[in-house]
Amino acid sequence: MNEKNPGIDRRQLLKTSLALGLCALTPSELRANDDSTVTLPFERGRRPLVAFPQKRPLMVMTTRPPQLETPFHIFNEDIFTPNDAFFVRWHLANIPQEIDVNTFRLTIRGRVNQSLSLSLHELHTQFEQIEIAAVCQCAGNSRGFFQPRVPGGQWGNGAMGNANWKGIRLRDLLHRAGITGDAVQVRFDGLDQPVAQATPDFRKSLPLNDALQEEVLVAHSMNGKALPMLNGYPLRLVAPGWYATYWVKMLNDIEVLNQADQNFWTTQAYRLPADPCHCVKPGEALTNTVPIGKLPVRSFITNLEEGRTIPGGEPCTIKGIAFDQGYGIDRVLFSVDGGQQWQSARLGKDFGDFSFRSWEAQFIPKPGHAYALQSLAINRIGESQRFSARWNPSGYLRNVIETVNIQTS
Amino acid sequence: MRVCMFCIVFLWGTGLAWGLPATGDDREPASILTLPADPISFQPGPGSDLASRYCLMCHSAEYVYMQPPHSREHWMEIVNKMKTTFGCPISNEDMGPLADYLVTQNSLQPSPSAQHVQRDDWMETPGQPLTQSGDPQKGKAIYERHCVTCHGPGGKGDGPIGQALIPPAANLTFLGKQSDQTILDTLRNGRPGTAMPAWKNDLNALELNHLLSFLRTLAP
């Protein structure tokens, strides 16, 4: 056992695999009952499974523009979400249907000493190539679970994914262009366009200091392959720790600004109540708002699902994942009684502070009982998940402790 | 053999191979995206023509059918947001009837988005074969109800909404070279990547053929 990989030694692994078969659901059991739909546990939660280009069948929330959710059992199969299972979310329907890799250019302009226009070949050959594991989570992930319900994309928990992103540091590009002294923000624009001229083009901005962090990449690959078109081919911004709204897809324009970005998607969309909780009472009007930012700490159980019956009297290994905004997961606690008592879970291999972290815990359920399984992740600065769900009118930032109710035979 | 190996390594190393479609199990070339047509449209009913005209130019009907129940007041807020924030050219008098329609759709059980829709189910409507002779006069009435705001009275793509679209609405006077089948397919399924919605759930096969007959008078 080394420090980077504390959780699991060989003996434990053996014990684990022996115990696993007794209670955990097999991959096929975790999949949908039929192959054509998945039903999320909220009203109007039935989603057809359809294969879009370069994708396996995913849960279709909307076809145009495409919004596709990853079926949750995928998160039990690999700590890295396969490219063809990775969720998809576009805002505007006018998405290029073809990219000419020879004429594509990424421009860096605005408050810089010298504007740049770089080909894919130049980006690939003239800059250091960096790889980082990071979670990409939609701001509206889990919105469908808000009570009372809120308008917007009705996602379950599958609008997230973890990948090894490869590309070049944004700051290497900015430094080559040379940032002028009055720069304050960096704005990102992709090739997608609105269908109606009056619709604001989708653009997002980061404060300059955040844009210059070493982990922020202009990525061309995920999990060792070119980005799928629906995940932003040929380039997307990868802003580890930040909500996915900032991870602009089909990125072709980077503009350094000398004042705060005034575009709609920053000043009016993706806003949170400004109070520290970022929550309000249902129905209460918002007064002060701030832009959504980084990921609060979350964890999930991945190998059991709500309402299942497992054998009683046998050891049961519960598996799951945890993540936060990049401080890293310090520990995960596990409860079988709805949070009255907690035990420590074992953490799995550490793929970096921005990655999913696997965990597992064992318990021996009694026959004929009901259990409320919960997990609670705590990051390295001591932030934990919330014990009660926050509410805000856009359905952002859910990180309450999730519960999986099961029975034993 | 050794030279060849070197070539491959050299090409990869210079990045010339980069950006090309990845090999392996990719289902189509990496730089091409062919998106499916909308699987569902708005269910027929009072106001469905408004929803088709205004909502479908930017997004599929699933955006409505996935929503949890919202009050009429809430739907009015959404309609207003689409008009004022996202620039949907909804006329003031259409706002109320559109919200009324959205409320009725929002309470349908089960939600149409849960249904698997056969792409070509309309073809199986008894007594309505694929192509038939339509009535251009009836087609004109349909055109004026559904099409004119984008494509304009003469079909030149110069309707009040059509010029505000990216790309602008198509000039239908250039349709002369296209086959009946191609035009009917576009009418039924829309054109992905544009504001042209799928009309197969709003217009049946007979109505589509009336419309086709009228379009032929624009583009002989």
Side-chain angles (χ1 to χ4, degrees):
Chain A
M1 251 198 271
N2 61 38
E3 252 180 38
K4 271 283 173 191
N5 183 7
I8 302 167
D9 65 19
R10 274 187 60 149
R11 207 173 40 191
Q12 275 177 330
L13 255 179
L14 192 64
K15 257 175 27 190
T16 301
S17 52
L18 283 174
L20 262 178
L22 297 173
C23 71
L25 300 175
T26 64
S28 65
E29 284 173 319
L30 283 169
R31 287 190 194 116
N33 290 330
D34 71 76
D35 288 336
S36 63
T37 59
V38 170
T39 301
L40 295 166
F42 45 74
E43 194 175 349
R44 310 220 148 195
R46 194 150 172 239
R47 303 280 182 264
L49 286 165
V50 179
F52 276 56
Q54 299 173 281
K55 294 286 173 179
R56 70 178 78 179
L58 300 178
M59 298 153 65
V60 180
M61 189 166 80
T62 62
T63 300
R64 179 173 57 95
Q67 300 191 87
L68 312 174
E69 178 167 345
T70 305
F72 203 77
H73 68 85
I74 301 289
F75 301 112
N76 194 53
E77 292 171 13
D78 194 335
I79 203 73
F80 293 103
T81 315
N83 291 6
D84 71 348
F86 213 94
F87 84 97
V88 170
R89 191 273 191 260
W90 292 83
H91 298 79
L92 306 173
N94 203 336
I95 304 168
Q97 296 179 56
E98 190 164 1
I99 302 290
D100 185 334
V101 296
N102 295 313
T103 60
F104 178 90
R105 293 291 182 276
L106 173 66
T107 58
I108 296 99
R109 62 189 178 89
R111 305 304 297 168
V112 294
N113 296 328
Q114 189 190 355
S115 297
L116 303 177
S117 174
L118 297 163
S119 68
L120 293 173
H121 178 245
E122 289 167 327
L123 287 167
H124 194 59
T125 55
Q126 297 180 8
F127 296 87
E128 187 182 355
Q129 303 294 308
I130 305 294
E131 192 157 21
I132 187 169
V135 175
C136 178
Q137 181 184 213
C138 179
N141 193 28
S142 316
R143 182 181 286 124
F145 295 106
F146 271 65
Q147 285 295 343
R149 298 283 296 274
V150 294
Q154 301 298 313
W155 298 105
N157 291 326
M160 62 176 187
N162 186 39
N164 265 310
W165 308 93
K166 188 172 182 185
I168 64 183
R169 290 188 195 97
L170 175 63
R171 74 178 183 193
D172 290 351
L173 287 171
L174 294 174
H175 286 156
R176 178 175 296 193
I179 305 160
T180 60
D182 58 350
V184 294
Q185 286 192 352
V186 184
R187 180 161 67 190
F188 308 93
D189 191 7
L191 290 170
D192 53 328
Q193 281 190 291
V195 171
Q197 284 176 5
T199 305
D201 189 17
F202 183 73
R203 291 177 291 180
K204 292 297 290 186
S205 302
L206 286 175
L208 180 64
N209 189 48
D210 295 298
L212 291 174
Q213 295 304 304
E214 66 174 352
E215 68 270 14
V216 179
L217 304 184
V218 172
H220 50 71
S221 303
M222 59 191 283
N223 296 325
K225 282 194 166 187
L227 296 166
M229 283 285 276
L230 286 170
N231 295 110
Y233 182 90
L235 300 172
R236 84 176 298 173
L237 190 74
V238 165
W242 293 79
Y243 270 107
T245 182
Y246 294 98
W247 299 39
V248 171
K249 296 184 290 298
M250 290 190 179
L251 176 67
N252 74 323
D253 185 55
I254 297 173
E255 184 182 3
V256 181
L257 307 175
N258 63 351
Q259 57 179 2
D261 186 8
Q262 294 303 310
N263 103 78
F264 164 81
W265 294 99
T266 294
T267 59
Q268 290 175 62
Y270 289 106
R271 305 286 295 191
L272 301 170
D275 71 296
C277 165
H278 301 307
C279 58
V280 292
K281 292 198 181 92
E284 198 178 307
L286 290 192
T287 46
N288 294 323
T289 63
V290 293
I292 198 169
K294 294 190 173 184
L295 310 176
V297 60
R298 298 192 81 176
S299 69
F300 294 95
I301 291 166
T302 58
N303 69 337
L304 276 176
E305 60 183 23
E306 180 75 12
R308 293 291 185 145
T309 300
I310 64 169
E314 305 283 356
C316 178
T317 299
I318 304 298
K319 288 174 58 184
I321 52 174
F323 62 93
D324 79 329
Q325 63 177 269
Y327 293 107
I329 296 300
D330 180 69
R331 65 203 132 116
V332 173
L333 304 178
F334 172 68
S335 172
V336 300
D337 56 10
Q340 293 174 53
Q341 299 168 81
W342 296 94
Q343 67 180 83
S344 285
R346 287 184 301 277
L347 296 183
K349 185 172 176 187
D350 187 350
F351 290 97
D353 293 344
F354 295 98
S355 171
F356 280 162
R357 186 81 186 263
S358 64
W359 60 266
E360 59 178 53
Q362 277 190 306
F363 81 117
I364 304 178
K366 296 175 192 162
H369 270 249
Y371 290 94
L373 308 182
Q374 295 186 332
S375 61
L376 164 57
I378 299 166
N379 71 9
R380 294 198 183 114
I381 62 164
E383 293 171 335
S384 85
Q385 292 179 249
R386 288 180 63 84
F387 285 73
S388 60
R390 77 180 107 212
W391 192 91
N392 52 54
S394 298
Y396 294 144
L397 249 57
R398 181 177 169 94
N399 78 327
V400 68
I401 296 165
E402 307 285 349
T403 305
V404 177
N405 293 290
I406 60 160
Q407 304 96 47
T408 52
S409 53
Chain B
M1 187 66 193
R2 180 169 297 176
V3 174
C4 261
M5 288 281 286
F6 174 77
C7 289
I8 292 165
V9 171
F10 175 76
L11 282 172
W12 187 259
T14 56
L16 287 175
W18 185 65
L20 295 174
T23 53
D25 61 356
D26 284 21
R27 273 144 234 180
E28 60 182 271
S31 58
I32 305 281
L33 180 66
T34 307
L35 290 169
D38 295 5
I40 56 168
S41 187
F42 287 108
Q43 302 293 297
S48 63
D49 57 326
L50 299 177
S52 295
R53 185 191 307 159
Y54 292 128
C55 308
L56 293 184
M57 70 172 76
C58 291
H59 61 76
S60 53
E62 297 146 313
Y63 271 75
V64 169
Y65 290 117
M66 73 162 154
Q67 291 301 312
H70 297 316
S71 64
R72 185 185 186 279
E73 185 189 5
H74 204 146
W75 277 112
M76 265 310 271
E77 282 172 24
I78 293 173
V79 168
N80 190 47
K81 182 180 177 185
M82 293 300 151
K83 178 181 165 76
T84 57
T85 305
F86 290 102
C88 182
I90 309 171
S91 67
N92 287 335
E93 60 267 31
D94 283 343
M95 291 175 72
L98 177 56
D100 290 339
Y101 172 75
L102 294 172
V103 172
T104 65
Q105 297 308 291
N106 193 211
S107 53
L108 286 182
Q109 292 290 352
S111 169
S113 65
Q115 311 301 310
H116 244 335
V117 178
Q118 255 342 97
R119 275 284 297 274
D120 291 320
D121 54 351
W122 71 278
M123 288 173 66
E124 289 157 20
T125 309
Q128 295 185 350
L130 183 59
T131 54
Q132 55 200 328
S133 55
D135 177 345
Q137 277 309 310
K138 289 178 179 166
K140 185 166 189 283
I142 294 167
Y143 182 86
E144 285 170 355
R145 182 171 172 80
H146 290 301
C147 316
V148 74
T149 49
C150 286
H151 293 286
K156 290 179 181 163
D158 54 358
I161 296 177
Q163 287 304 300
L165 300 173
I166 311 171
N171 183 343
L172 304 178
T173 65
F174 293 142
L175 284 183
K177 286 176 189 159
Q178 294 201 13
S179 70
D180 288 357
Q181 191 55 55
T182 302
I183 295 171
L184 283 171
D185 187 60
T186 302
L187 292 174
R188 281 186 349 246
N189 296 314
R191 290 187 67 192
T194 76
M196 175 67 183
W199 292 98
K200 64 187 174 190
N201 290 339
D202 293 83
L203 301 173
N204 64 30
L206 188 59
E207 290 169 324
L208 288 170
N209 278 283
H210 291 327
L211 186 53
L212 175 64
S213 303
F214 173 71
L215 294 179
R216 287 296 182 210
T217 70
L218 299 174

